[in-house]
Amino acid sequence: MRRAEIDGATVLQQDLPGTLAASLTFGCGTRDEDIDSIGLNHLVQHLVEWADPHVTEKYSDDTWVNETSFLAAGTPEQIAEHFTAISSAISDLPPEDLSDAVAAVDADGRSVSDIDEGVLDPWGSLLSRRFGPRGHGLARWPAVDYGLFTADEISKQVERFFTSGNAILTVTGEAPRTMRLRLPAGARIARGAHPVNHQSGPVWYADEVRGVALIVSAESNVESALLMGVLQSRVGQAVRRAGLADGAEPLSAVVDSTRHELGLRITPKDGRKTKSFDAAAAAELLWAELRRLVHDGFDQADIANLEAARDEAVSVLLVPMVESLAWMRPIQALEPATHRELFGTAEHHYAESLSELAGLSPTAARDVMSRWLSTAMIVVPYGSTPDLPGTTDVSCPSTRFVPAGEVIRPTLTKRFGNRSSLVIGSDAISTVHGDGSVHTVPLSQALVAARDGSLWLAHTGHGCVTAISDFAHAEGRLRAALPPRRFRRAAYT
């Protein structure tokens, strides 16, 4: 791979067949925001689109946890003009007609890697519990109403993160000589290690989630990815045999050059209601398979299963339905190089390195996975009490003390047999459950997400969520108790 520089931005070039494609990637994403500025990078991305700098017909702009990127494919002349215009649009932010530009943006368009169920996603719950209200822990929470962001906030975000030093241009050929990348000047963002919670494990807890999930901290190497692939295969077979789910979905989060978070998510079979999903049984199978793999190691059958899964994944990629996105494949193949340049690490995919599994000794494999156990966390839905030997229950603490405040009860149509209540106090919001247990969230750490008559109360410091839809009629009083940025529209679930 050849290196160059254009206007202070690093350029990585590798000759690949097909139409010339390029990506301009900035080392900033959701993890670089804070609890009251979630969505700011996504807004910057949309404001660039509002400026309509797109020259090529084939392009894609995205904001993820770690990066914000602009991809395009076309002739060398189009590529040069396209990214010259993108850079100019970034430098000119915010636009003078900011209110009009923001009005055209839908915060629901913000996607977060591996978070499919919004605030109810079990992977998002695990990240929020692991990292707290910072870094990767922000991935669970909805974006702030974009109309609340100020021009000054947008300017500062651009000046800090969308700079020539924090950008990488990757090209599937020679970068056009006429291309200009006139971005704000600035240095590469240096990230420190994010503190994590519950390092001493293994633990489990209950939360308002749809499904079951596991997270472990792993070293940044292909061996960890391979072994998680083995675990995914085993767990997937186990839950299918039990009729619980269609399989187990692999998950990952790149943290830094030494540590990645890896995991699995198990969700109800298609068409099955969440209430009929036996989450405790799914969690028990997940935990049993992890312990069995740590104790016994993998065998040749595991390698064969991974090879079959890889071949199936390749065949899926070749179906005509996705041919419209085929132009992205060459430039996406260079993403690991971009990520290593920006973050010192890249996500590992077991399908690319199956040959290395055969050379991994059982002893070495057990050593890797034994270290996982001390960081393992499993989340299950409220009401589930799985039997997970060797783990500790760290579910949200509750008390019997009801703080002072305005007591909200369910509407008459929902009150029969419902003894729960919501208490809105001067410094906290409390949910009082029918059994008398009380869960209190300090106002400083409270966030309410609303969607189509449903409400959820989040404790951002602890990372948990409680459904409060029975008190949807109190939405106005909740809004009055919280700062405007702490009442948000939940993403579709």
Side-chain angles (χ1 to χ4, degrees), residues 18 30 57 73 95 146 151 172 217 244 252 261 287 432 485:
T30 299
E57 292 184 2
Y146 288 171
T172 62
S217 294
L244 295 169
S252 65
E261 298 291 335
W287 182 239
V432 183
R485 295 195 182 195

Side-chain angles (χ1 to χ4, degrees), residues 36-349:
D36 290 318
S37 68
I38 295 176
L40 190 50
N41 286 297
H42 184 241
L43 176 58
V44 169
Q45 172 211 314
H46 271 285
L47 291 178
V48 172
E49 293 175 350
W50 173 262
D52 196 22
H54 300 102
V55 176
T56 67
E57 292 184 2
K58 297 176 179 177
Y59 65 86
S60 177
D61 305 338
D62 296 293
T63 302
W64 304 109
V65 174
N66 288 320
E67 76 268 12
T68 301
S69 61
F70 301 86
L71 282 64
T75 66
E77 293 75 19
Q78 289 174 329
I79 290 296
E81 186 177 354
H82 185 95
F83 286 98
T84 298
I86 289 285
S87 301
S88 296
I90 290 172
S91 295
D92 290 340
L93 291 181
E96 292 184 3
D97 52 351
L98 179 59
S99 59
D100 292 338
V102 170
V105 178
D106 184 358
D108 283 351
R110 168 181 169 267
S111 298
V112 180
S113 302
D114 292 330
I115 307 295
D116 295 334
E117 294 281 358
V119 296
L120 306 183
D121 194 290
W123 180 244
S125 171
L126 287 167
L127 291 175
S128 182
R129 178 65 68 97
R130 179 80 97 193
F131 292 95
R134 66 187 72 83
H136 288 76
L138 300 176
R140 185 181 196 183
W141 309 126
V144 171
D145 178 354
Y146 288 171
L148 298 176
F149 287 121
T150 66
D152 185 57
E153 285 178 287
I154 296 168
S155 294
K156 289 181 178 178
Q157 190 76 359
V158 171
E159 291 169 0
R160 182 182 179 193
F161 292 106
F162 291 83
T163 66
S164 56
N166 202 38
I168 301 292
L169 179 75
T170 311
V171 192
T172 62
E174 194 71 26
R177 294 183 179 278
T178 57
M179 183 187 297
R180 299 265 60 85
L181 299 176
R182 297 191 176 95
L183 297 162
R188 180 75 47 81
I189 297 299
R191 292 185 173 95
H194 285 301
V196 297
N197 301 321
H198 303 302
Q199 277 292 89
S200 179
V203 300
W204 73 272
Y205 66 96
D207 196 359
E208 192 71 38
V209 293
R210 291 178 178 168
V212 169
L214 160 79
I215 191 171
V216 298
S217 294
E219 295 178 3
S220 173
N221 54 43
V222 72
E223 289 82 6
S224 294
L226 287 165
L227 292 169
M228 184 55 71
V230 171
L231 180 62
Q232 175 204 351
S233 177
R234 290 190 176 191
V235 172
Q237 293 177 41
V239 296
R240 283 192 294 270
R241 284 194 302 266
L244 295 169
D246 293 322
E249 182 182 2
L251 304 159
S252 65
V254 174
V255 179
D256 55 40
S257 60
T258 62
R259 194 178 95 252
H260 292 184
E261 298 291 335
L262 303 179
L264 297 176
R265 177 171 54 205
I266 304 170
T267 52
K269 295 179 68 173
D270 290 343
R272 177 177 293 185
K273 294 183 178 180
T274 303
K275 290 183 179 179
S276 64
F277 174 58
D278 192 341
E284 288 163 6
L285 285 175
L286 174 57
W287 182 239
E289 289 299 329
L290 174 56
R291 296 181 77 193
R292 186 167 70 90
L293 185 59
V294 171
H295 183 269
D296 298 337
F298 62 90
D299 53 31
Q300 289 301 313
D302 290 315
I303 298 176
N305 289 335
L306 287 186
E307 290 174 342
R310 176 196 59 191
D311 295 341
E312 181 181 356
V314 170
S315 67
V316 169
L317 288 175
L318 297 178
V319 298
M321 187 174 62
V322 298
E323 283 304 310
S324 61
L325 301 178
W327 68 268
M328 297 175 64
R329 292 177 194 158
I331 192 62
Q332 286 178 334
L334 301 183
E335 278 185 355
T338 300
H339 292 169
R340 283 192 291 269
E341 186 74 23
L342 283 171
F343 313 122
T345 187
E347 187 175 350
H348 298 287
H349 299 281

